[in-house]
Every structure is written in structure tokens, then in C-alpha cells.
Amino acid sequence: MKTLKLGTRGSKLALWQANFIKDQLVQVGQDVEIVIIKTRGDKIQDIGFSKMEGKGFFTKEIEDALIDGRVDFAVHSMKDMPTTNPSGLCLTALTYREDPRDCLVIKKSSVQPKPLKLGEGAVVGTSSARRKAQLLHYRPDFNIQDIRGNVPTRLEKLQKGNFDAIVLAKAGLNRLKIDLSAFEFIDLNPREFVPAPAQGVIALQVRETDTETRRVLKQIHHADVARCTNVERKVLQLMDGGCQMPLGVNCEQDQDGNFHVNAAFATAWDAPVKFVHLSRSTSVNLAEEIYTMLTDK
């Protein structure tokens, strides 16, 4: 069996994800070599995502390497992925889902006894249009500022006093085992502060024609996770959105097999947010119903 080349970004979180997948595959007898690839999102650090054109800020260069045959499969944070694969590529496996919530991390000296534990006009850092819109829904007085960099870099900027608080994905904090004892933090309820579609899930992308690699990767696929992320990403696709659309969708399946979806959408980061909830016993047409609810005026 040949050693498979795994393409990934080089951030601490991306490398955690790559090594996690490597360990999973080693357990089923497959050797893996990690290949680090810099993406446009990694190279451009001085402007916010809203000012960057196109989609796939953190995926395109890795997908190019996959198409060219420089790597055999790619590991992505699924929330960063466009809903359509480039010609010849497909998703073939998903991991378990880490905590999908967003986390508001607050500098202790900024804590006040007010909603979200922050005072009037607090400076909150995030480059996500979705997070900006939902923060302003609950606290229109916030001063929202763009912040870039990996998780440790953002926490360092918070500690230095550039911000009163920042918003991070709980999944990344958990996977990197980040110590937040120097900060106050709030894990935001995903029914009220709705996460990005597929937040907390790692996706494995491969060439459609590479049936042998697909067969290997299928051994670590979580079909239960796919049932929910399929709904979330179908809503994103119907909205014709990328990872920077102000759209949150979170789908959960209970022990009886019922699906519960919460979604939030704004036409722009500073526009009003519409929240919807829907529960169904089946996922058939569930995304289409959520789309209609979000877009119905």
C-alpha cells in the first residue's frame, strides 16, 4: 500500500486536524505524509475577508495541488469550503463533529454586568460577517473590528488590549486545548447565536477517479455527521453563499431520529438578522424549507 500524501494548511489548528486524520488512518493500516500548502487566506493577513474577492480563501491552492496530483487527498475545515467542488474533486469522508458553538472570549478587565458581559461600545474582534451581524443583533452598540491571524495570535491581540473581546470557534479552542483561564468567556447557545454551516467538522477531499484512496478514507467516515451537514450546506448552496455570507445554519438529530434546524441570515453584516427554527422527522426537503423561510419577505 502506497503512502498517501495529505494536503493541508500550515496553521496550528490545520496541522492538528491533519495529524488527527493521519492517526486515524494509521490505525487502519495506512501510511500518510503531510504536505503543507499556503493558501490565499494565509498569505493575505492585512485585510478583512469582506474585502477579499471570490470564495475558497483557505481551500483553492490545496485543491489545485490535489488536481495536479501533488497530494492524494486534502483536509479542510468544512465550514471554509465552497458548496461546489472543482471539477474532478469530491468530498469522500467527514470526521466526528467537535463542539459547533462560537465562543465569546473577553478580557477580564473589560467584564461588566451587562448582556454578553460587555459595556457600552465595547470593541469586539471578528472578521466573520455572520458573527458581526449576530453580535449587532443582540448588542447594536458594539464596535465591531476585523481581526486576522490564527487562534493564538488572536488571543495575544486580545490580551494586549486591542479588543475588549473576540469571537472564536469552540471547536478550535477544544482541539488546540487552549487555556482560557486568563480570560472570561461565554459559550454562545447555537440556537440563539447560530454557527456557520458544518462548523466543527473536518472534511476529506479527493479526486473522483481515485477509487483506491476513496475506499481507504471511507473507513473513517461519520455518516451521522453527514446527515446534518448535508442539510446545513444545502441551505448555504441554495442561498448561493460562501463562507463569508452572513448565514448561520445548525442542524441536530435527536435520539428518535428527528432533525432540528436553527438558521440566521442577514443580507449584510450590518443588516437586520432573520432567525428561523424548524423540526422535522426527515431531512427530505428540509433545507429547501429553511431556505424559503429565510428568504420569504
Side-chain angles (χ1 to χ4, degrees):
M1 188 179 296
K2 74 169 187 176
T3 297
L4 295 179
K5 292 184 177 181
L6 179 167
T8 179
R9 296 170 58 207
S11 70
K12 284 187 177 181
L13 181 56
L15 289 174
W16 184 96
Q17 294 178 165
N19 279 291
F20 172 79
I21 295 300
K22 178 179 178 178
D23 291 345
Q24 293 272 296
L25 290 171
V26 166
Q27 289 178 27
V28 297
Q30 176 62 56
D31 289 332
V32 175
E33 175 190 344
I34 293 175
V35 179
I36 296 173
I37 300 165
K38 268 205 167 185
T39 68
R40 183 163 59 112
D42 297 312
K43 294 173 184 175
I44 303 174
Q45 290 287 325
D46 56 344
I47 61 173
F49 295 130
S50 60
K51 297 181 178 66
M52 294 170 63
E53 296 181 356
K55 301 177 183 178
F57 304 143
F58 294 113
T59 59
K60 184 181 184 303
E61 287 79 3
I62 299 174
E63 290 174 333
D64 289 345
L66 188 52
I67 291 168
D68 295 344
R70 285 174 280 151
V71 297
D72 297 299
F73 71 103
V75 172
H76 303 282
S77 291
M78 197 177 188
K79 70 181 179 67
D80 293 334
M81 300 195 70
T83 53
T84 54
N85 283 278
S87 178
L89 301 184
C90 65
L91 299 184
T92 198
L94 306 180
T95 63
Y96 79 101
R97 188 169 209 165
E98 183 53 88
D99 191 331
R101 293 177 293 179
D102 282 316
C103 181
L104 182 67
V105 185
I106 308 165
K107 192 172 58 175
K108 286 193 173 179
S109 61
S110 297
V111 173
Q112 294 194 28
K114 292 188 176 183
L116 297 178
K117 297 186 178 182
L118 287 166
E120 191 81 14
V123 179
V124 182
T126 177
S127 289
S128 161
R130 172 187 60 83
R131 288 169 176 160
K132 290 178 183 179
Q134 293 190 53
L135 284 168
L136 290 173
H137 172 81
Y138 293 109
R139 289 291 304 270
D141 61 288
F142 278 172
N143 178 4
I144 309 292
Q145 298 289 331
D146 282 338
I147 183 171
R148 295 291 310 278
N150 57 33
V151 173
T153 298
R154 295 185 190 201
L155 289 171
E156 184 179 345
K157 290 179 179 179
L158 176 61
Q159 188 73 281
K160 285 181 177 178
N162 300 38
F163 305 89
D164 294 299
I166 61 175
V167 186
L168 298 169
K170 189 69 175 178
L173 295 170
N174 287 351
R175 284 171 170 153
L176 292 176
K177 293 182 168 59
I178 298 291
D179 179 11
L180 293 179
S181 60
F183 306 96
E184 188 84 10
F185 66 91
I186 303 171
D187 293 330
L188 300 167
N189 188 327
R191 296 173 182 84
E192 298 172 354
F193 199 96
V194 187
Q199 187 156 301
V201 179
I202 303 168
L204 308 188
Q205 189 180 39
V206 68
R207 290 183 293 277
E208 287 180 333
T209 55
D210 189 351
T211 54
E212 180 57 27
T213 299
R214 294 178 69 179
R215 183 193 65 77
V216 172
L217 299 182
K218 278 290 185 184
Q219 296 178 80
I220 60 172
H221 176 59
H222 288 243
D224 57 327
V225 173
R227 283 193 289 273
C228 289
T229 57
N230 285 347
V231 173
E232 296 169 10
R233 284 174 57 80
K234 181 64 175 179
V235 175
L236 181 63
Q237 184 180 47
L238 291 168
M239 300 292 286
D240 192 28
C243 62
Q244 271 304 293
M245 174 175 274
L247 171 71
V249 190
N250 182 243
C251 178
E252 298 175 339
Q253 190 174 20
D254 64 26
Q255 292 182 337
D256 297 321
N258 299 308
F259 293 86
H260 308 281
V261 182
N262 290 279
F265 173 66
T267 56
W269 69 268
D270 54 354
V273 182
K274 184 173 186 178
F275 291 85
V276 302
H277 171 80
L278 189 62
S279 293
R280 291 285 184 269
S281 60
T282 174
S283 63
V284 177
N285 293 324
L286 183 53
E288 287 80 0
E289 290 187 63
I290 291 291
Y291 168 74
T292 299
M293 294 169 70
L294 288 173
T295 56
D296 184 16
K297 297 178 181 179

